[in-house]
Amino acid sequence: MTKVAWNTKELTVGQLAERSGVAVSALHFYEAKGLISSRRTAGNQRRYSRDSLRRVAFIRLAQRIGIPLKVIKDALAELPDERTPTRDDWAKLSAAWRGELDDRIEQLQRLRDDLTDCIGCGCLSLDRCPVANPYDRLGDEGPGARRIDTRLCPPQQPCCAPTPC
């Protein structure tokens, strides 16, 4: 198998995929969402600057910890174009996510602790539901689980309280 020579300044989409471990289709998706950018050659082929490797690593790590792509895009927009994100950049951007991650951890711990008795839906179908929802009061707040979400049910009032949060 022949190794393709690496351009010191730019990578093809295949080279970026190989080096980053991310599928070409994912790179195209990231580009369509404005997370990374490329230039087009005269033959209409994509070329990525080498800083794209670090940006893709940044995107993948942020996704693994549950940060939505929109938030990642906003974070990357704070960085100058054509510059590799540094350790200081990561520290600054990730610090902004700490509160959100702490909320998620709390939600997951509550879900784990209440999983045996409740899925947080506020349903009336269980005969011994600790978060009974008489008259579907939580339905007025919108669809989905309402009681388990710590942002909807403040920590000072337990989610299993007989009255709505």
Side-chain angles (χ1 to χ4, degrees):
M1 186 165 136
T2 308
K3 274 287 212 189
V4 176
W6 296 94
N7 179 321
T8 59
K9 297 198 184 254
E10 294 184 315
L11 303 170
T12 66
V13 69
Q15 290 169 329
L16 183 58
E18 181 183 342
R19 289 287 308 275
S20 67
V22 175
V24 169
S25 59
L27 296 173
H28 291 170
F29 177 77
Y30 292 159
E31 189 172 356
K33 294 295 182 185
L35 296 163
I36 59 175
S37 61
S38 67
R39 74 168 185 87
R40 296 294 183 136
T41 66
N44 202 31
Q45 296 175 331
R46 288 178 169 94
R47 293 292 185 266
Y48 295 91
S49 59
R50 293 195 53 89
D51 71 291
S52 296
L53 276 170
R54 177 90 38 103
R55 287 177 181 265
V56 170
F58 180 94
I59 293 164
R60 298 297 289 181
L61 179 61
Q63 282 184 302
R64 285 185 64 194
I65 61 173
I67 304 300
L69 285 178
K70 168 75 170 94
V71 175
I72 297 169
K73 179 182 177 184
D74 293 346
L76 288 171
E78 293 182 26
L79 303 176
D81 288 337
E82 304 298 320
R83 193 192 84 189
T84 302
T86 64
R87 182 170 292 171
D88 288 340
D89 292 330
W90 173 249
K92 177 185 167 202
L93 296 175
S94 63
W97 300 334
R98 188 172 185 88
E100 184 178 337
L101 291 173
D102 288 343
D103 284 348
R104 287 186 193 171
I105 290 167
E106 183 179 343
Q107 288 176 36
L108 288 170
Q109 287 173 334
R110 291 172 80 182
L111 178 60
R112 178 201 61 210
D113 295 345
D114 295 339
L115 192 59
T116 305
D117 294 325
C118 174
I119 60 170
C121 65
C123 70
L124 297 172
S125 62
L126 298 175
D127 60 350
R128 64 178 195 103
C129 180
V131 293
N133 181 22
Y135 311 109
D136 195 24
R137 290 184 302 222
L138 295 177
D140 293 338
E141 294 182 19
R146 310 308 296 169
R147 293 293 195 139
I148 207 71
D149 190 341
T150 58
R151 288 168 293 190
L152 297 174
C153 181
Q156 64 270 18
Q157 182 173 356
C159 264
C160 295
T163 58
C165 299

